[in-house]
Short mmCIF file of all heavy atoms in Angstrom, two decimals:
data_model
loop_
_atom_site.label_atom_id
_atom_site.label_comp_id
_atom_site.label_asym_id
_atom_site.label_seq_id
_atom_site.Cartn_x
_atom_site.Cartn_y
_atom_site.Cartn_z
N LEU J 1 -21.78 -23.87 61.39
CA LEU J 1 -20.55 -24.40 60.77
C LEU J 1 -20.52 -25.96 60.79
O LEU J 1 -19.63 -26.61 60.74
CB LEU J 1 -19.30 -23.85 61.30
CG LEU J 1 -19.18 -22.34 61.30
CD1 LEU J 1 -17.93 -21.90 62.02
CD2 LEU J 1 -19.27 -21.89 59.89
N ASP J 2 -21.77 -26.56 61.10
CA ASP J 2 -21.86 -28.02 61.40
C ASP J 2 -21.30 -28.92 60.20
O ASP J 2 -20.50 -29.81 60.57
CB ASP J 2 -23.36 -28.40 61.60
CG ASP J 2 -23.95 -27.74 62.86
OD1 ASP J 2 -23.11 -27.44 63.76
OD2 ASP J 2 -25.22 -27.52 62.88
N ASP J 3 -21.70 -28.60 59.08
CA ASP J 3 -21.30 -29.56 57.98
C ASP J 3 -20.39 -29.00 57.00
O ASP J 3 -20.12 -29.63 55.99
CB ASP J 3 -22.60 -29.94 57.18
CG ASP J 3 -23.67 -30.70 58.06
OD1 ASP J 3 -23.16 -31.46 58.96
OD2 ASP J 3 -24.75 -30.43 57.79
N ASP J 4 -19.83 -27.94 57.30
CA ASP J 4 -18.81 -27.29 56.42
C ASP J 4 -17.43 -27.64 56.70
O ASP J 4 -17.03 -28.30 57.74
CB ASP J 4 -18.98 -25.77 56.63
CG ASP J 4 -20.37 -25.34 56.12
OD1 ASP J 4 -20.69 -25.53 54.92
OD2 ASP J 4 -21.09 -24.64 56.94
N ASN J 5 -16.58 -27.28 55.78
CA ASN J 5 -15.18 -27.58 55.79
C ASN J 5 -14.58 -27.07 57.10
O ASN J 5 -14.76 -25.90 57.51
CB ASN J 5 -14.43 -26.93 54.64
CG ASN J 5 -13.06 -27.37 54.40
OD1 ASN J 5 -12.40 -27.50 55.30
ND2 ASN J 5 -12.76 -27.63 53.06
N PRO J 6 -13.77 -27.89 57.89
CA PRO J 6 -13.14 -27.39 59.07
C PRO J 6 -12.19 -26.28 59.03
O PRO J 6 -11.90 -25.71 60.02
CB PRO J 6 -12.49 -28.72 59.65
CG PRO J 6 -12.39 -29.57 58.50
CD PRO J 6 -13.46 -29.22 57.55
N THR J 7 -11.89 -25.95 57.73
CA THR J 7 -11.07 -24.78 57.64
C THR J 7 -11.68 -23.46 57.99
O THR J 7 -11.08 -22.52 58.26
CB THR J 7 -10.48 -24.65 56.19
OG1 THR J 7 -11.56 -24.61 55.33
CG2 THR J 7 -9.53 -25.85 55.86
N TRP J 8 -13.04 -23.49 57.91
CA TRP J 8 -13.80 -22.26 58.45
C TRP J 8 -13.51 -21.93 59.81
O TRP J 8 -13.26 -20.83 60.31
CB TRP J 8 -15.35 -22.53 58.20
CG TRP J 8 -15.76 -22.15 56.89
CD1 TRP J 8 -15.86 -23.07 55.86
CD2 TRP J 8 -15.92 -20.91 56.31
NE1 TRP J 8 -16.24 -22.43 54.75
CE2 TRP J 8 -16.22 -21.06 55.00
CE3 TRP J 8 -15.86 -19.56 56.79
CZ2 TRP J 8 -16.51 -20.00 54.11
CZ3 TRP J 8 -16.11 -18.51 55.97
CH2 TRP J 8 -16.47 -18.66 54.66
N GLN J 9 -13.46 -23.05 60.74
CA GLN J 9 -13.12 -22.77 62.15
C GLN J 9 -11.75 -22.26 62.28
O GLN J 9 -11.44 -21.45 62.98
CB GLN J 9 -13.39 -24.00 62.90
CG GLN J 9 -14.85 -24.33 63.11
CD GLN J 9 -15.13 -25.44 64.09
OE1 GLN J 9 -14.40 -25.73 64.92
NE2 GLN J 9 -16.34 -26.08 63.86
N GLN J 10 -10.79 -22.93 61.49
CA GLN J 10 -9.41 -22.40 61.56
C GLN J 10 -9.28 -20.93 61.21
O GLN J 10 -8.54 -20.26 61.80
CB GLN J 10 -8.59 -23.40 60.64
CG GLN J 10 -8.50 -24.74 61.17
CD GLN J 10 -7.85 -25.70 60.16
OE1 GLN J 10 -7.47 -25.34 59.14
NE2 GLN J 10 -7.59 -26.95 60.57
N ALA J 11 -9.98 -20.62 60.10
CA ALA J 11 -9.91 -19.20 59.71
C ALA J 11 -10.50 -18.28 60.75
O ALA J 11 -9.87 -17.23 61.03
CB ALA J 11 -10.71 -19.00 58.38
N LEU J 12 -11.59 -18.64 61.48
CA LEU J 12 -12.14 -17.84 62.50
C LEU J 12 -11.20 -17.81 63.61
O LEU J 12 -10.97 -16.68 64.27
CB LEU J 12 -13.48 -18.46 62.94
CG LEU J 12 -14.63 -18.23 61.96
CD1 LEU J 12 -15.82 -19.15 62.45
CD2 LEU J 12 -15.17 -16.77 62.02
N PHE J 13 -10.59 -18.91 63.99
CA PHE J 13 -9.72 -18.90 65.24
C PHE J 13 -8.39 -18.14 64.84
O PHE J 13 -7.86 -17.56 65.77
CB PHE J 13 -9.22 -20.26 65.53
CG PHE J 13 -10.46 -21.18 65.94
CD1 PHE J 13 -10.36 -22.52 65.89
CD2 PHE J 13 -11.58 -20.66 66.44
CE1 PHE J 13 -11.43 -23.36 66.25
CE2 PHE J 13 -12.66 -21.35 66.83
CZ PHE J 13 -12.60 -22.71 66.77
N SER J 14 -8.05 -17.98 63.64
CA SER J 14 -6.96 -17.15 63.27
C SER J 14 -7.30 -15.65 63.51
O SER J 14 -6.42 -14.86 63.91
CB SER J 14 -6.45 -17.35 61.90
OG SER J 14 -7.32 -16.76 60.90
N LEU J 15 -8.55 -15.24 63.37
CA LEU J 15 -8.97 -13.92 63.62
C LEU J 15 -8.90 -13.66 65.09
O LEU J 15 -8.54 -12.57 65.63
CB LEU J 15 -10.37 -13.73 63.22
CG LEU J 15 -10.63 -13.37 61.69
CD1 LEU J 15 -12.16 -13.43 61.38
CD2 LEU J 15 -10.02 -12.06 61.38
N LEU J 16 -9.19 -14.66 65.95
CA LEU J 16 -9.16 -14.57 67.33
C LEU J 16 -7.78 -14.44 67.95
O LEU J 16 -7.59 -13.87 69.07
CB LEU J 16 -9.88 -15.70 68.00
CG LEU J 16 -11.36 -15.81 67.80
CD1 LEU J 16 -11.87 -17.09 68.38
CD2 LEU J 16 -12.16 -14.61 68.43
N GLY J 17 -6.85 -14.93 67.19
CA GLY J 17 -5.42 -14.97 67.62
C GLY J 17 -5.31 -15.92 68.82
O GLY J 17 -5.90 -17.02 68.75
N ASN J 18 -4.50 -15.59 69.77
CA ASN J 18 -4.26 -16.52 70.94
C ASN J 18 -5.30 -16.39 71.98
O ASN J 18 -5.14 -17.17 72.98
CB ASN J 18 -2.82 -16.32 71.49
CG ASN J 18 -1.78 -16.66 70.58
OD1 ASN J 18 -1.93 -17.56 69.69
ND2 ASN J 18 -0.63 -16.00 70.63
N SER J 19 -6.18 -15.52 71.71
CA SER J 19 -7.22 -15.34 72.91
C SER J 19 -8.15 -16.38 73.05
O SER J 19 -8.57 -16.64 74.19
CB SER J 19 -7.94 -13.96 72.62
OG SER J 19 -8.78 -14.12 71.49
N SER J 20 -8.51 -17.13 71.98
CA SER J 20 -9.44 -18.21 72.18
C SER J 20 -9.33 -19.11 71.01
O SER J 20 -8.89 -18.71 69.93
CB SER J 20 -10.80 -17.69 72.35
OG SER J 20 -11.76 -18.67 72.52
N SER J 21 -9.82 -20.34 71.12
CA SER J 21 -9.89 -21.19 69.97
C SER J 21 -11.20 -22.06 70.18
O SER J 21 -11.29 -23.16 69.95
CB SER J 21 -8.68 -22.12 69.84
OG SER J 21 -8.66 -22.97 71.08
N SER J 22 -12.32 -21.28 70.40
CA SER J 22 -13.56 -22.04 70.56
C SER J 22 -14.67 -21.16 69.91
O SER J 22 -14.57 -19.93 69.76
CB SER J 22 -13.95 -22.25 71.98
OG SER J 22 -14.02 -21.13 72.71
N LEU J 23 -15.75 -21.87 69.59
CA LEU J 23 -16.98 -21.11 69.05
C LEU J 23 -17.77 -20.84 70.30
O LEU J 23 -17.76 -21.48 71.30
CB LEU J 23 -17.67 -22.06 68.10
CG LEU J 23 -16.96 -22.28 66.82
CD1 LEU J 23 -17.63 -23.34 65.95
CD2 LEU J 23 -16.75 -20.96 65.95
N PRO J 24 -18.69 -19.83 70.21
CA PRO J 24 -19.06 -19.09 69.05
C PRO J 24 -17.97 -17.94 68.80
O PRO J 24 -17.29 -17.50 69.71
CB PRO J 24 -20.33 -18.44 69.48
CG PRO J 24 -20.23 -18.24 70.96
CD PRO J 24 -19.45 -19.45 71.35
N VAL J 25 -18.06 -17.30 67.57
CA VAL J 25 -17.29 -16.21 67.34
C VAL J 25 -18.28 -15.06 66.86
O VAL J 25 -19.13 -15.36 66.05
CB VAL J 25 -16.23 -16.48 66.15
CG1 VAL J 25 -15.57 -15.15 65.75
CG2 VAL J 25 -15.33 -17.52 66.48
N VAL J 26 -18.23 -14.00 67.56
CA VAL J 26 -19.32 -12.96 67.48
C VAL J 26 -18.72 -11.65 67.00
O VAL J 26 -17.67 -11.27 67.37
CB VAL J 26 -19.96 -12.66 68.92
CG1 VAL J 26 -21.03 -11.63 68.75
CG2 VAL J 26 -20.47 -14.05 69.49
N PHE J 27 -19.42 -11.14 65.95
CA PHE J 27 -19.16 -9.78 65.42
C PHE J 27 -20.32 -8.92 65.63
O PHE J 27 -21.54 -9.34 65.51
CB PHE J 27 -18.99 -9.96 63.90
CG PHE J 27 -17.74 -10.66 63.43
CD1 PHE J 27 -17.71 -12.09 63.37
CD2 PHE J 27 -16.63 -9.91 63.04
CE1 PHE J 27 -16.50 -12.66 62.98
CE2 PHE J 27 -15.44 -10.57 62.65
CZ PHE J 27 -15.42 -11.94 62.61
N ILE J 28 -20.10 -7.70 66.15
CA ILE J 28 -21.07 -6.66 66.36
C ILE J 28 -20.70 -5.48 65.56
O ILE J 28 -19.58 -5.01 65.63
CB ILE J 28 -21.27 -6.40 67.82
CG1 ILE J 28 -21.79 -7.62 68.57
CG2 ILE J 28 -22.31 -5.19 68.03
CD1 ILE J 28 -21.92 -7.38 70.04
N GLY J 29 -21.61 -4.99 64.67
CA GLY J 29 -21.26 -3.84 63.88
C GLY J 29 -20.07 -4.13 62.90
O GLY J 29 -19.35 -3.16 62.66
N GLY J 30 -19.88 -5.31 62.49
CA GLY J 30 -18.84 -5.70 61.53
C GLY J 30 -17.52 -5.86 62.27
O GLY J 30 -16.44 -6.13 61.66
N LYS J 31 -17.47 -5.63 63.60
CA LYS J 31 -16.20 -5.65 64.33
C LYS J 31 -16.21 -7.00 65.16
O LYS J 31 -17.17 -7.35 65.78
CB LYS J 31 -16.02 -4.43 65.24
CG LYS J 31 -15.95 -3.17 64.46
CD LYS J 31 -15.88 -1.99 65.35
CE LYS J 31 -15.99 -0.73 64.65
NZ LYS J 31 -16.15 0.45 65.45
N LEU J 32 -15.08 -7.62 65.23
CA LEU J 32 -14.90 -8.78 65.99
C LEU J 32 -15.05 -8.51 67.51
O LEU J 32 -14.19 -7.66 68.01
CB LEU J 32 -13.46 -9.46 65.75
CG LEU J 32 -13.25 -10.64 66.52
CD1 LEU J 32 -14.10 -11.87 66.22
CD2 LEU J 32 -11.76 -11.04 66.21
N VAL J 33 -15.92 -9.06 68.12
CA VAL J 33 -16.05 -9.06 69.66
C VAL J 33 -15.26 -10.15 70.20
O VAL J 33 -14.54 -9.98 71.22
CB VAL J 33 -17.53 -9.05 70.12
CG1 VAL J 33 -17.62 -9.06 71.58
CG2 VAL J 33 -18.26 -7.87 69.59
N GLY J 34 -15.25 -11.37 69.74
CA GLY J 34 -14.61 -12.49 70.19
C GLY J 34 -15.47 -13.68 70.47
O GLY J 34 -16.60 -13.82 69.93
N SER J 35 -15.06 -14.49 71.39
CA SER J 35 -15.86 -15.68 71.71
C SER J 35 -16.65 -15.41 73.00
O SER J 35 -16.94 -14.26 73.35
CB SER J 35 -14.86 -16.90 71.93
OG SER J 35 -13.99 -16.56 72.96
N MET J 36 -17.22 -16.43 73.54
CA MET J 36 -18.18 -16.28 74.58
C MET J 36 -17.59 -15.54 75.77
O MET J 36 -18.35 -14.66 76.31
CB MET J 36 -18.61 -17.68 75.04
CG MET J 36 -19.55 -17.55 76.27
SD MET J 36 -20.55 -19.01 76.50
CE MET J 36 -21.63 -18.45 77.86
N ASP J 37 -16.42 -15.68 76.10
CA ASP J 37 -15.87 -15.02 77.32
C ASP J 37 -15.83 -13.52 77.05
O ASP J 37 -16.14 -12.74 77.99
CB ASP J 37 -14.40 -15.50 77.71
CG ASP J 37 -13.37 -15.46 76.49
OD1 ASP J 37 -13.86 -15.34 75.33
OD2 ASP J 37 -12.21 -15.54 76.82
N ASN J 38 -15.57 -13.01 75.88
CA ASN J 38 -15.51 -11.60 75.55
C ASN J 38 -16.95 -10.95 75.52
O ASN J 38 -17.24 -9.89 76.14
CB ASN J 38 -14.94 -11.32 74.17
CG ASN J 38 -13.45 -11.67 74.09
OD1 ASN J 38 -13.11 -12.90 74.02
ND2 ASN J 38 -12.65 -10.80 74.17
N VAL J 39 -17.91 -11.73 75.04
CA VAL J 39 -19.22 -11.25 74.99
C VAL J 39 -19.88 -11.09 76.40
O VAL J 39 -20.55 -10.22 76.73
CB VAL J 39 -20.14 -12.13 74.17
CG1 VAL J 39 -21.59 -11.82 74.16
CG2 VAL J 39 -19.70 -12.27 72.77
N MET J 40 -19.50 -12.21 77.26
CA MET J 40 -20.15 -12.31 78.59
C MET J 40 -19.48 -11.18 79.46
O MET J 40 -20.11 -10.57 80.28
CB MET J 40 -19.92 -13.69 79.20
CG MET J 40 -20.73 -14.71 78.64
SD MET J 40 -22.61 -14.34 78.63
CE MET J 40 -22.84 -14.30 80.38
N ALA J 41 -18.16 -10.90 79.26
CA ALA J 41 -17.50 -9.85 79.98
C ALA J 41 -18.02 -8.47 79.61
O ALA J 41 -18.32 -7.70 80.54
CB ALA J 41 -15.98 -9.94 79.63
N ALA J 42 -18.32 -8.34 78.26
CA ALA J 42 -18.98 -7.05 77.85
C ALA J 42 -20.40 -6.92 78.51
O ALA J 42 -20.82 -5.82 78.90
CB ALA J 42 -19.08 -6.99 76.36
N HIS J 43 -21.10 -8.03 78.51
CA HIS J 43 -22.44 -8.03 79.13
C HIS J 43 -22.37 -7.64 80.64
O HIS J 43 -23.08 -6.73 81.14
CB HIS J 43 -23.16 -9.38 78.96
CG HIS J 43 -24.46 -9.49 79.55
ND1 HIS J 43 -25.50 -8.62 79.21
CD2 HIS J 43 -24.96 -10.30 80.42
CE1 HIS J 43 -26.64 -8.91 79.82
NE2 HIS J 43 -26.35 -9.95 80.61
N ILE J 44 -21.44 -8.24 81.35
CA ILE J 44 -21.23 -8.02 82.77
C ILE J 44 -20.88 -6.63 83.10
O ILE J 44 -21.42 -6.01 84.03
CB ILE J 44 -20.37 -9.10 83.39
CG1 ILE J 44 -21.14 -10.46 83.34
CG2 ILE J 44 -20.03 -8.80 84.87
CD1 ILE J 44 -20.24 -11.64 83.67
N ASN J 45 -19.82 -6.17 82.34
CA ASN J 45 -19.34 -4.79 82.70
C ASN J 45 -20.16 -3.71 81.98
O ASN J 45 -19.79 -2.46 82.15
CB ASN J 45 -17.84 -4.73 82.33
CG ASN J 45 -17.57 -4.71 80.82
OD1 ASN J 45 -18.40 -4.29 79.98
ND2 ASN J 45 -16.37 -5.08 80.42
N GLY J 46 -21.23 -4.06 81.41
CA GLY J 46 -22.17 -2.97 80.96
C GLY J 46 -21.79 -2.38 79.48
O GLY J 46 -22.38 -1.39 79.02
N THR J 47 -20.89 -2.96 78.83
CA THR J 47 -20.49 -2.38 77.48
C THR J 47 -21.12 -3.07 76.21
O THR J 47 -21.07 -2.54 75.21
CB THR J 47 -18.98 -2.45 77.21
OG1 THR J 47 -18.50 -3.70 77.35
CG2 THR J 47 -18.19 -1.58 78.34
N LEU J 48 -21.84 -4.15 76.51
CA LEU J 48 -22.53 -4.87 75.41
C LEU J 48 -23.72 -4.14 74.82
O LEU J 48 -23.74 -3.99 73.67
CB LEU J 48 -23.01 -6.24 75.85
CG LEU J 48 -23.56 -7.15 74.81
CD1 LEU J 48 -22.62 -7.38 73.61
CD2 LEU J 48 -24.04 -8.44 75.35
#
């Protein structure tokens, strides 16, 4: 999203809700996993 309209990030953050407002935003199997903290938590607890 380097050179694109900043509204892309705003739209992504609206999907995240209040849980986070930072990139990356990760989808697995078409489902929102979330940002880095959610991905790392899933990796650590064995669900990733």
